[in-house]
Amino acid sequence: MEVADSAQLLTSDGMLGPMHRPDCRLSTRRCVFSVALPRAVLSAWVLSCAAPAFAWSGHALDTWAALKDMPELARLEPVRVESLDAFLVAQADALGPVLDAAEAWSREHVPAYPPRPEALRFDAAGAQLPDERRRRFIAALRIAPDVRLALFLKRLSPNDAVGLPSLARSRVSTLADDDGEDKAGASPFVALREGETVSPLDVVATASDEPDYGLDIGLWENNGTEQGRVYGFGKQPFGNPALSFGTQAPFHMGFYYESPIVYAAAGFLKRTYPEYRIHLYRTLALHALRTGHDYWGWRFAGWAMHYIQDLTQPYHARVLPGVSTLRMLWINALDIAGAPGAKARAIRLVSNRHLALENFQRTAVVAEQGAAGEGPLLRALADESRGASRPTAATAGDEAGAGSSTVFGEDDPRAVVAKRSASAADALDREVAATLPARYVDDTGFEFGVDARGVDLNEQLAKNGPAARDAMIRVVVPLMREYGVYSRAFVRAMLAGGRPGNADPTRAR
């Protein structure tokens, strides 16, 4: 069977244009074709595989476990809760230059970065009303204008924050309450009052979950939103622009280590922006800490930390873990030839494994927290056995990866965190496929995101396959250790650079 001249490539405007003709003759022995991945086909792959736009679900508990034993954090005085409006009034004149410096860094360091339009530069002059100052600040950050930004904490157990008023999820997040927490009166959120005090640990742990509450929703030109038309990010590079939660994917994934062949055919994969978000919020956090606004310093730090933690998820650092470039090319050739089944199966399996891994991790950590807060995953999150060291750019590809630096550098999200995640992705995919029940990870007729609602994989394995559960714990422990190491390294960078009068210690690196 021969393939006709059907290979085509989508232009940047989404129009189909001709691509060079493949010479592909499919047989049981060989397939000879030009090395090309039509954007239309690969985009469909990424769209489906990137659909689970959340990486680790439940950052707050994981962050708390990673940081709770840090003596440097425990020594800090409680911080006074401050509204965003009060922060913006106090720092109205300073924030414009601060955000300009962050913007200049992104333009220089983030590949394929879409510059912030000049009209969005933060300038508080003439903004007499709090709502107008807030609108200008949100626009300068290029986050969703309906973001809640309430004063709140997230309870990590029913015994947390006793006595504080409950806060509905809808007051914290713009996303749908799929679990029905508000209807059941089981919201995990409590309201804070301006002027009361709270621990920095509670602030940063809660804030590390917040970017998944709608900050990055609907920001692209083709999302049908006003912000998408003015923010300057262009068209959504991947993910489904019609699914609100999927529109955040390019900000939470970093595909920095794909094959050059893949990049040559699908340059849109380079348009991922966690580095931009990390640096922006890190800059704001350091400024707030240096100027005595500690509540917002630690809240912005939690936002930045979220994207670092997302990059520790190997399924957020590789497009298709477990699928080699050669296999992608072969499956692509089959799809062009009119046999799309292999592509559909590959997408379904990778997506199911991604979601199944996160389901197991989340349910296992919650179970450990409920069992007196002890267990191998919580211990891994808090593990300081390698001292205060963490992997460095020079050791990012090593198995142990321990380095001597304690400072989290500006380039580390790409050069260290994502690099190690990407290198671990294929092996992780094999382990997940070999360990979890085949129905969830090896059955293309099963769609985990739809058919597994209410599934608790940790509980299921504990009852029916304790050996498999123990094996999955061994799979997840190294991931949680990495999560904890980078979270603590980032906090130490905040502590070192956030004292009044201090400069960011990484600037001289």
Side-chain angles (χ1 to χ4, degrees):
M1 175 176 59
E2 292 199 5
V3 181
D5 303 337
S6 57
Q8 292 179 313
L9 179 67
L10 279 177
T11 68
S12 60
D13 294 326
M15 301 299 291
L16 283 171
M19 196 175 183
H20 61 272
R21 299 177 180 181
D23 179 15
C24 184
R25 298 172 177 83
L26 304 181
S27 71
T28 57
R29 294 189 177 182
R30 66 176 184 170
C31 177
V32 181
F33 53 85
S34 299
V35 177
L37 282 172
R39 175 173 176 161
V41 176
L42 185 55
S43 182
W45 283 50
V46 178
L47 184 152
S48 299
C49 293
F54 305 112
W56 303 117
S57 53
H59 286 253
L61 176 54
D62 296 341
T63 300
W64 176 84
L67 306 182
K68 65 181 176 61
D69 295 329
M70 288 185 69
E72 309 99 308
L73 204 54
R75 286 194 295 265
L76 296 181
E77 294 291 326
V79 299
R80 189 169 299 279
V81 176
E82 178 184 29
S83 69
L84 178 62
D85 294 334
F87 173 70
L88 294 180
V89 168
Q91 295 298 310
D93 295 333
L95 283 172
V98 168
L99 293 173
D100 287 348
E103 174 68 14
W105 184 93
S106 292
R107 293 186 184 192
E108 181 180 352
H109 291 90
V110 179
Y113 176 69
R116 182 193 68 196
E118 184 60 25
L120 299 184
R121 182 185 183 275
F122 181 75
D123 184 354
Q128 300 298 321
L129 298 178
D131 285 352
E132 176 60 16
R133 278 192 295 272
R134 176 186 283 234
R135 184 197 68 76
R136 294 184 188 185
F137 182 68
I138 287 172
L141 300 188
R142 293 196 280 180
I143 59 177
D146 59 349
V147 64
R148 301 298 190 242
L149 301 179
L151 300 177
F152 73 102
L153 289 179
K154 185 174 185 178
R155 282 190 296 243
L156 304 180
S157 76
N159 297 323
D160 283 349
V162 175
L164 291 178
S166 180
L167 193 65
R169 176 174 286 276
S170 60
R171 296 283 303 280
V172 171
S173 172
T174 61
L175 301 187
D177 181 15
D178 291 335
D179 294 330
E181 290 174 333
D182 284 353
K183 186 176 181 180
S187 171
F189 304 109
V190 295
L192 294 176
R193 296 182 301 274
E194 188 163 13
E196 67 180 312
T197 59
V198 63
S199 76
L201 173 59
D202 287 342
V203 175
V204 74
T206 290
S208 71
D209 223 19
E210 203 169 354
D212 278 343
Y213 298 165
L215 270 66
D216 296 317
I217 297 298
L219 308 185
W220 304 96
E221 182 182 318
N222 56 336
N223 289 164
T225 64
E226 178 60 28
Q227 66 266 25
R229 286 188 285 274
V230 301
Y231 276 5
F233 286 121
K235 292 183 178 179
Q236 188 172 328
F238 57 83
N240 190 340
L243 297 177
S244 61
F245 70 87
T247 66
Q248 76 173 31
F251 295 99
H252 295 247
M253 295 177 163
F255 300 134
Y256 309 131
Y257 296 98
E258 299 298 329
S259 162
I261 296 173
V262 173
Y263 288 135
F268 63 92
L269 289 177
K270 296 180 180 179
R271 294 177 57 211
T272 57
Y273 302 120
E275 293 170 294
Y276 157 59
R277 286 302 196 211
I278 292 164
H279 180 81
L280 175 63
Y281 298 143
R282 174 187 184 136
T283 299
L284 283 169
L286 288 170
H287 175 76
L289 291 170
R290 291 170 189 157
T291 54
H293 298 275
D294 289 1
Y295 171 80
W296 279 101
W298 289 111
R299 189 157 172 180
F300 289 138
W303 291 8
M305 193 183 301
H306 176 100
Y307 300 86
I308 297 167
Q309 293 165 344
D310 274 358
L311 291 176
T312 68
Q313 219 295 24
Y315 286 102
H316 272 229
R318 285 280 306 282
V319 176
L320 288 170
V323 181
S324 69
T325 302
L326 183 61
R327 186 175 168 218
M328 289 170 68
L329 290 166
W330 171 253
I331 293 173
N332 176 63
L334 292 176
D335 187 71
I336 292 171
K343 182 188 77 175
R345 288 191 295 272
I347 290 172
R348 177 66 56 81
L349 290 180
V350 171
S351 179
N352 282 355
R353 291 169 189 175
H354 179 169
L355 293 172
L357 170 66
E358 292 175 7
N359 179 289
F360 178 83
Q361 182 272 338
R362 175 179 55 82
T363 55
V365 168
V366 169
E368 289 183 5
Q369 173 71 356
E374 185 61 35
L377 299 185
L378 291 177
R379 287 195 297 270
L381 284 162
D383 186 8
E384 290 265 32
S385 62
R386 291 186 289 181
S389 64
R390 57 143 187 87
T392 64
T395 61
D398 297 346
E399 182 67 23
S404 59
S405 175
T406 62
V407 176
F408 192 91
E410 298 279 16
D411 297 328
D412 284 0
R414 176 189 295 258
V416 182
V417 184
K419 184 175 183 180
R420 286 174 61 80
S421 289
S423 66
D426 288 342
L428 173 71
D429 186 74
R430 289 193 296 270
E431 290 171 330
V432 168
T435 307
L436 288 177
R439 173 170 172 76
Y440 300 132
V441 297
D442 208 27
D443 180 355
T444 57
F446 185 87
E447 186 173 358
F448 198 95
V450 174
D451 302 324
R453 291 190 180 276
V455 168
D456 182 328
L457 274 177
N458 175 69
E459 181 180 35
Q460 188 176 123
L461 291 182
K463 291 179 178 178
N464 304 321
R469 180 190 179 278
D470 293 344
M472 274 305 297
I473 291 291
R474 290 192 293 271
V475 168
V476 177
V477 158
L479 303 179
M480 296 296 93
R481 187 175 290 118
E482 297 268 302
Y483 185 111
V485 165
Y486 298 126
S487 298
R488 288 187 295 277
F490 183 76
V491 166
R492 289 181 174 121
M494 294 295 98
L495 291 169
R499 300 186 185 97
N502 278 17
D504 183 348
T506 66
R507 299 289 177 148
R509 293 183 64 195

